Amino acid sequence: MRDSQFGVGVVGYGYWGPNLVRNFAANPGARVVAVADLDPARLANCARFNPGVTTTNRYDDLLNDPDIEAIAVATPVHSHYDLALAALEAGKHVLVEKPMAPTADLARRLIDEADRRGLMLMVDHTFLYTPAVRKISELVRKGDLGDVYYYDSTRVSLGLFQSDVSVLWDLAVHDLSIIDHIIEEEPVAVSATGCRHVAGSPENMAHITLFFDSPCVAHVNVNWLSPVKVRQTFIGGSKKMIVYDDMQPTEKIKVYDKGITVDGSQEKAHQLRIGYRAGDMWAPHVPAKEALETEVEHFIDCVRNGAQPLCDGLSGLRVIEVLEAASRSVAEQGKPVSLRRPARLRARATA
Amino acid sequence: MRDSQFGVGVVGYGYWGPNLVRNFAANPGARVVAVADLDPARLANCARFNPGVTTTNRYDDLLNDPDIEAIAVATPVHSHYDLALAALEAGKHVLVEKPMAPTADLARRLIDEADRRGLMLMVDHTFLYTPAVRKISELVRKGDLGDVYYYDSTRVSLGLFQSDVSVLWDLAVHDLSIIDHIIEEEPVAVSATGCRHVAGSPENMAHITLFFDSPCVAHVNVNWLSPVKVRQTFIGGSKKMIVYDDMQPTEKIKVYDKGITVDGSQEKAHQLRIGYRAGDMWAPHVPAKEALETEVEHFIDCVRNGAQPLCDGLSGLRVIEVLEAASRSVAEQGKPVSLRRPARLRARATA
Amino acid sequence: MRDSQFGVGVVGYGYWGPNLVRNFAANPGARVVAVADLDPARLANCARFNPGVTTTNRYDDLLNDPDIEAIAVATPVHSHYDLALAALEAGKHVLVEKPMAPTADLARRLIDEADRRGLMLMVDHTFLYTPAVRKISELVRKGDLGDVYYYDSTRVSLGLFQSDVSVLWDLAVHDLSIIDHIIEEEPVAVSATGCRHVAGSPENMAHITLFFDSPCVAHVNVNWLSPVKVRQTFIGGSKKMIVYDDMQPTEKIKVYDKGITVDGSQEKAHQLRIGYRAGDMWAPHVPAKEALETEVEHFIDCVRNGAQPLCDGLSGLRVIEVLEAASRSVAEQGKPVSLRRPARLRARATA
Amino acid sequence: MRDSQFGVGVVGYGYWGPNLVRNFAANPGARVVAVADLDPARLANCARFNPGVTTTNRYDDLLNDPDIEAIAVATPVHSHYDLALAALEAGKHVLVEKPMAPTADLARRLIDEADRRGLMLMVDHTFLYTPAVRKISELVRKGDLGDVYYYDSTRVSLGLFQSDVSVLWDLAVHDLSIIDHIIEEEPVAVSATGCRHVAGSPENMAHITLFFDSPCVAHVNVNWLSPVKVRQTFIGGSKKMIVYDDMQPTEKIKVYDKGITVDGSQEKAHQLRIGYRAGDMWAPHVPAKEALETEVEHFIDCVRNGAQPLCDGLSGLRVIEVLEAASRSVAEQGKPVSLRRPARLRARATA
């Protein structure tokens, strides 16, 4: 059976579910077997545009279907844990929306369950599959930037105020997964500040600093109440620096051959020791492939061929740990919170 | 004598001194009497382009000159306190470069000395005199923005690494003086993080959050190691929001009629309570007058006619207090530092 | 029957046809009865996503269907004339893609046929229904710009080289329809230059100047071989000026309160007579409604309620006349070609 | 004497003269001997800032001074010819502002006079000495762009309306000198259109097309009545394309590895023959040296060491010929005007 098409079930057909269905359906090696949702209108809509797909309001139908090898969970956050756990217990591989669980403890339980059963548990950090982030990752890993000095991101817009999660869990989660992916070092502490401008709502604006053992620092600025949409990240290195502007239709990544040079001799006076370098800028062509298409290919490749997942359960857990620590720091006006982790969490993909 | 021209002495003819001389010389009510500097080459340069100005390497010549009513101090930071104090003791009004002193304690002593002698002590926070900041200040004071929700500024470039002061004292000082001017409320705490990428040098990158009693928050991002120069400030209000981009040759200020509306009824579900509003954008024409020209006019007006100074000693002190607190917070990875001040420091200009 | 739903047939289901079907289907007052195309795969695709729509490879099925009140023609240019004529002869109203015919003569025959039968003939100049162009049109008609001095447009990109029509008929046609709509005056002559960089292909780059009796001038720059995509139009007026940048996600239209003032007195020397004015910039909020949705509503309103069409056959003809004249001018390196038209063509919508 | 400093006289101390004086004075090999102007206030101003320079209101003083080897003419256009001719007749080398004469005939006489006397006659086309244009020229000459397909420039702003020359002679002259320099081919015809929006004033807006024997085409859009300032040039080549934006503080030049590929086989259908290529973008670092500093060095090098001038009299004449032809074409609404030139005018610098 494993040589046949990859059978997928999708639970949740709201905002993101249709994208999952479309991309699994378009993948020549996969087939969407069934879609579950509690809302009859959504199911009808799904049925209309996907004639061959079974629709159901019973999640058990997916769990019990032997043609379904993997389940994609695209429901609201609070149900991620229960649905993903049930899928694993039914022997299905899982692709779950981020954040994979509302707490690090629950995330760890999912990881343990998947490990014990030898199943794939992947978190849908879609940004890691964008051509831009893949190119940045490639440049960093090749050493083109030298030592990474900082990652400084601004992700603000007039966004939808969420009622149950703060802007940290809604927007900063994207940067935290990118940081986890491209910076080859674990953060050791986090300081974050935030603010709520609507009484009774969670923080709609926050700033996070991640500390590392090296002098590298990461900072994320997120805001649901900005007059213009900004998606801009500066990445500084000892050799080169990147500006990544996701709002640009093309030339999203600009690589600057700029920086400082430090004269090794400590004898010399300070000002003489530091030199400034201004060279060319280069914007590598980045193809326009949809991130989710790549992600679906990768998920199937991981399950079928044992490829190393780019965002496995551990990476999803690391992001949640930072979110939890940042939320604690916000509650204490920036007081730093330690992030020292046991060694087992540090293993990561190197793709 | 008070009806005659305003006699000015300038000490320090390095980077900024020539600008002070030029602007005082161009003011029809003022006259530059003498310039003091220790460097003969600078004095020769000054003499060449300013034939009527006495040049001297003895500061005492300025202090003892009865034609000099006020002294502008444009020397390196470490000498500000001594030179300003001597000028006050000699009965001269003082315009001193920012920061006016290396510590809040010394700044307080200057203020006391000026108060005791009934002399003007003004700090050269030039940004407050730019047409853009004056327009923003006018819009905020008129209530066009409603309640100010946040001030969020990015001031980064490939800048000159200083040997004795961190990027906070070099770049953040500009934003702190603007915040002090336009936000009609005192900060009560500060959390800041920073990083040094050259061993033995001060922090070259920092992020500061200022807390207020209201939900307003201010954040400043400064960096000497950025591949591109950014001078951009977002100011969010309950009615309107501003984007101020100082790198634009024109249209530096954009006012957005955008935001959220909150339904007063707490009964309703969260999502229904918050509405989104997207209206016009408006870029008021801002004339191109040099900030220092306006500042010099204002300084003379304050001394001669008793106008209320926009950046008196107290405002300079408030900025130094924030810098000191931020530096302490940086040393403890963002741990918040309280800024509760005695009431006497809260008086401010309302121009 | 006229009170019932508006029955529509669509011929051509290639690039644009699906958009027409989708928008007519979404209109509550209309119904897509049938779609004709010669390609079975396209018909199958249409049937899959539009279960209630009849598909056919015989155009006659549409012509003979009494439930079809109007036919939308979305086929290649060379067949527009024949298909539209047949529809009119069958008593159907017609919405035809631009250009409505390959020559002005054939366009005139379609207009005559529609007139004689009292049928609506509308040309699908979609840009006229974009919120941005409607806002510009409103500002011009209200007199906000004063006298229109010029329209100067750049429409370039790395575009698909067409084999049978030049860049004039492919890209300039958009600007010519906008000019026809917003400038309340007829062009009297055209000068155009062009260039072909692929032997045997039509011009891939061209510049057109339209002359009017007034000092108003219109210029269009089109190019299939540009490294970046530009969609930018400057509109100068005696009172205000507009920059319309269609590549911006928001703030597509900026209205500048800038210009010159001319002192009436001819006695004075030249330089004294001209003054310069630099005021505010204003970007009116423009809603994000799809142009074709508005166009479909308008077409139905014209047919059912006798509304005045924004782009009737005469406006389509005027655009073709300019294209023909411009093509002749290109062949003679910019030699001007007269556009004097008989009065009957000058009638236009005033919406 | 020729080994000593290069003695220079400058006539005209209005807008541009002070820049010439400053740059010749700063050149270690040159000395400004005297400055002539009819306005006593300007002479006084010159004397104040240039203590060692003789000032005079008699041009003859410059002509008769044996220490003056070369004269720079920076007066209004109508006097260029007479002053430059007198300088040549007095045996002085000449650097003359553009346009060097009001007609091509007079320009030719200056060239002949200089040739006959073996003197240098250089025209001050300053743009050719900007680091950006020099980099573009280098890329074109190295063949990086392949065949140059087009040069398309927009040079518009709310500019000073001139009373005696049209926008062609004021703004287009810059592009025409750049085109003359970087396109290694002579234009054979010109078509231009223009418009005047102030009665009694020259054209304030114009569009020029230059034709070449090859399929290369050049187009220039100039306008004194634009709400925003644009200085943007697109240069298309068979291999690469450039966007040169002089309003950018950095990254003025962007080189795009984009374009089309044409399959040689004429047998294949059109669409199959043309391929599209989208590669990286590259912004070479361009140093920030003042153009006039380079130009002054070059002028001295040409006079003293026989270097080939970048913009000699012939290049100045070629630009004037195009301006004359374009002005004639404007008067006839774009009718093309031939530019076939005798062979002797075609010699050019190849630096």
Side-chain angles (χ1 to χ4, degrees), chain C residues 149-150 152 159 161 163 193 195 197 201 205 207 209 215 219 221 225 227-228 234 256 258 270-271 276 333-334 336, chain D residues 149-150 152 159 161 163 193 195 197 201 205 207 209 215 219 221 225 227-228 241 256 258 270-271 276 333-334 336:
Chain C
Y149 281 165
Y150 63 84
D152 200 338
F161 277 59
S163 60
T193 60
C195 197
H197 293 109
S201 283
M205 168 171 185
H207 296 91
T209 302
H219 184 266
N221 177 343
L225 196 54
V228 294
F234 287 58
Y256 290 85
K258 283 188 174 179
H270 167 82
Q271 284 299 354
Y276 301 88
Q333 291 196 315
Chain D
Y149 281 165
Y150 63 83
D152 200 339
F161 277 58
S163 60
T193 59
C195 197
H197 293 110
S201 283
M205 168 173 185
H207 296 91
T209 302
H219 184 266
N221 177 343
L225 196 54
V228 294
M241 301 200 265
Y256 291 85
K258 283 189 173 179
H270 168 81
Q271 283 299 353
Y276 302 88
Q333 292 195 315

Side-chain angles (χ1 to χ4, degrees), chain A residues 148-152 154 156 158-164 188-202 205 207 209 211-212 214-217 219 221 223-228 230 232 234-237 241-243 256 258-260 262 266 270-271 273-274 276-278 330 332-336, chain B residues 148-152 154 156 158-164 188-202 205 207 209 211-212 214-217 219 221 223-228 230 232 234-237 241-243 256 258-260 262 266 270-271 273-274 276-278 330 332-336:
Chain A
V148 175
Y149 280 164
Y150 64 83
Y151 174 102
D152 200 338
T154 302
V156 304
L158 189 55
L160 198 63
F161 277 58
Q162 309 281 329
S163 60
D164 48 355
V188 296
V190 59
S191 165
T193 60
C195 197
R196 57 190 77 196
H197 293 108
V198 177
S201 282
M205 165 171 189
H207 296 91
T209 302
F211 300 97
F212 298 84
S214 81
C216 179
V217 71
H219 185 266
N221 177 343
N223 193 343
W224 282 332
L225 196 54
S226 165
V228 295
V230 181
Q232 200 171 43
F234 287 59
I235 305 173
M241 302 199 264
I242 287 176
V243 175
Y256 291 84
K258 283 187 174 181
I260 52 166
V262 182
Q266 296 274 353
H270 167 83
Q271 284 299 355
R273 287 180 53 224
I274 297 183
Y276 301 89
R277 189 169 42 79
V330 164
E332 298 193 70
Q333 291 196 313
K335 188 177 157 188
Chain B
V148 175
Y149 281 164
Y150 63 83
Y151 174 102
D152 201 339
T154 302
V156 304
L158 190 56
L160 198 65
F161 276 59
Q162 309 280 329
S163 59
D164 47 355
V188 295
V190 59
S191 165
T193 59
C195 198
R196 56 190 77 196
H197 293 109
V198 176
S201 284
M205 165 170 189
H207 296 91
T209 302
F211 300 96
F212 299 84
S214 81
C216 179
V217 71
H219 186 266
N221 177 343
N223 193 343
W224 282 331
L225 196 53
S226 166
V228 295
V230 181
Q232 200 172 42
F234 287 58
I235 305 173
M241 301 199 265
I242 287 176
V243 176
Y256 290 86
K258 283 189 174 179
I260 53 166
V262 182
Q266 296 274 352
H270 168 81
Q271 284 299 354
R273 287 179 54 224
I274 298 182
Y276 301 89
R277 187 168 43 79
V330 164
E332 299 193 71
Q333 291 197 315
K335 187 178 157 189

Side-chain angles (χ1 to χ4, degrees), chain C residues 262-284:
Chain C
V262 182
D263 184 320
S265 158
Q266 296 274 354
E267 314 306 318
K268 294 189 187 174
H270 167 82
Q271 284 299 354
L272 299 178
R273 287 180 52 226
I274 297 183
Y276 301 88
R277 189 167 42 78
D280 295 354
M281 183 266 274
W282 166 68

Side-chain angles (χ1 to χ4, degrees), chain A residues 72-86:
Chain A
V73 179
T75 57
V77 176
H78 67 267
S79 58
H80 287 178
Y81 172 75
D82 287 337
L83 297 172
L85 186 66

Side-chain angles (χ1 to χ4, degrees), chain B residues 19-320:
Chain B
N19 292 327
L20 287 164
V21 170
R22 176 169 52 80
N23 276 281
F24 273 110
N27 188 296
R31 183 168 79 86
V32 179
V33 176
V35 169
D37 199 295
L38 295 175
D39 182 339
R42 286 175 173 173
L43 289 182
N45 196 30
C46 177
R48 182 180 168 201
F49 290 108
N50 302 280
V53 173
T54 302
T55 56
T56 173
N57 62 1
R58 289 185 307 264
Y59 186 42
D60 278 354
D61 291 351
L62 270 59
L63 299 178
N64 297 329
D65 192 329
D67 288 346
I68 292 180
E69 199 169 333
I71 289 181
V73 179
T75 56
V77 176
H78 68 267
S79 58
H80 286 179
Y81 172 75
D82 287 336
L83 297 172
L85 185 67
L88 292 169
E89 287 172 349
K92 313 298 191 192
H93 302 285
V94 168
L95 174 64
V96 59
E97 278 315 290
K98 46 88 193 160
M100 70 198 276
T103 69
D105 277 346
L106 293 180
R108 275 186 211 102
R109 286 199 225 165
L110 289 180
I111 294 168
D112 290 343
E113 188 68 27
D115 279 358
R116 205 148 41 84
R117 294 178 181 269
L119 293 168
M120 176 62 51
L121 171 65
M122 213 166 104
V123 184
D124 185 8
H125 287 305
T126 316
F127 261 95
L128 301 193
Y129 298 92
T130 58
V133 172
R134 290 179 73 82
K135 172 59 77 175
I136 291 170
S137 173
E138 175 197 324
L139 295 171
V140 170
R141 277 160 212 269
K142 276 168 53 191
D144 282 17
L145 269 64
D147 298 329
V148 175
Y149 281 164
Y150 63 83
Y151 174 102
D152 201 339
S153 183
T154 302
R155 191 176 295 273
V156 304
S157 46
L158 190 56
L160 198 65
F161 276 59
Q162 309 280 329
S163 59
D164 47 355
V165 294
S166 77
V167 71
L168 288 175
W169 293 73
D170 179 49
L171 291 183
V173 63
H174 296 302
D175 286 295
L176 296 178
S177 72
I178 298 172
I179 291 165
D180 180 78
H181 182 61
I182 67 172
I183 298 187
E184 294 167 313
E185 194 182 357
E186 296 294 309
V188 295
V190 59
S191 165
T193 59
C195 198
R196 56 190 77 196
H197 293 109
V198 176
S201 284
E203 285 83 7
N204 54 280
M205 165 170 189
H207 296 91
I208 311 172
T209 302
L210 294 187
F211 300 96
F212 299 84
D213 277 328
S214 81
C216 179
V217 71
H219 186 266
V220 180
N221 177 343
V222 285
N223 193 343
W224 282 331
L225 196 53
S226 166
V228 295
K229 185 172 184 177
V230 181
R231 296 285 185 267
Q232 200 172 42
T233 305
F234 287 58
I235 305 173
S238 58
K239 290 185 183 162
K240 289 193 177 161
M241 301 199 265
I242 287 176
V243 176
Y244 160 38
D245 188 342
D246 203 38
M247 294 302 291
Q248 297 299 318
T250 58
E251 298 154 46
K252 287 175 188 285
I253 301 174
K254 293 183 178 167
V255 184
Y256 290 86
D257 184 15
K258 283 189 174 179
I260 53 166
T261 54
V262 182
D263 186 318
S265 158
Q266 296 274 352
E267 316 305 319
K268 294 190 186 172
H270 168 81
Q271 284 299 354
L272 299 178
R273 287 179 54 224
I274 298 182
Y276 301 89
R277 187 168 43 79
D280 296 355
M281 183 268 275
W282 165 67
H285 176 65
V286 170
K289 190 173 175 183
E290 185 180 357
L292 197 47
E293 182 186 347
T294 306
E295 183 175 344
V296 157
E297 292 167 3
H298 176 59
F299 179 63
I300 298 171
D301 192 36
C302 290
V303 171
R304 283 291 175 88
N305 310 319
Q308 178 80 346
L310 217 58
C311 41
D312 57 6
L314 289 180
S315 76
L317 169 60
R318 289 191 302 264
V319 167
I320 291 175

